[in-house]
Amino acid sequence: MRLSELSGKEIVDVKKAERLGVLGQTDLEIDESTGQIQALLIPSVKWFGFRKQGGEIRVPWQHIKKIGTDMIIIDVHEGEKVEE
């Protein structure tokens, strides 16, 4: 799958049934030696996107459960949250 095919898909946490963001508004952590995506870095946003909370959620690639036509289903653990 190409990165352009992933762009625009909603990212949903399966445990909380919560929308975390849209791929394209996130950063990717890429392994320089292999070129593989290691993790998604999703910014934490509050108030309908008007105020940024200042942190991000790091979702390792292995926690992605399903990539569908419109969304990416993830299983994020509380220990994966990264505050900046």
Side-chain angles (χ1 to χ4, degrees):
M1 181 176 282
R2 294 175 182 237
L3 183 58
S4 61
E5 294 173 306
L6 289 174
S7 184
K9 294 183 188 283
E10 289 188 63
I11 302 167
V12 177
D13 182 354
V14 70
K15 283 187 179 174
K16 295 181 181 177
E18 175 179 50
R19 181 183 180 269
L20 298 176
V22 175
L23 195 66
Q25 299 171 347
T26 63
D27 287 325
L28 300 176
E29 186 178 294
I30 299 175
D31 184 333
E32 292 178 11
S33 60
T34 64
Q36 293 182 335
I37 298 172
Q38 298 295 309
L40 304 176
L41 302 173
I42 306 166
S44 296
V45 178
K46 273 189 165 180
W47 298 47
F48 304 103
F50 293 120
R51 190 174 89 177
K52 200 167 181 180
Q53 195 175 19
E56 60 188 19
I57 300 170
R58 182 182 184 277
V59 181
W61 190 256
Q62 62 267 25
H63 290 177
I64 294 175
K65 298 302 177 191
K66 177 82 175 167
I67 299 175
T69 55
D70 296 328
M71 67 180 62
I72 299 171
I73 306 294
I74 63 168
D75 186 6
V76 71
H77 302 286
E78 285 299 314
E80 298 299 328
K81 290 189 178 183
V82 179
E83 299 297 327
E84 286 188 358

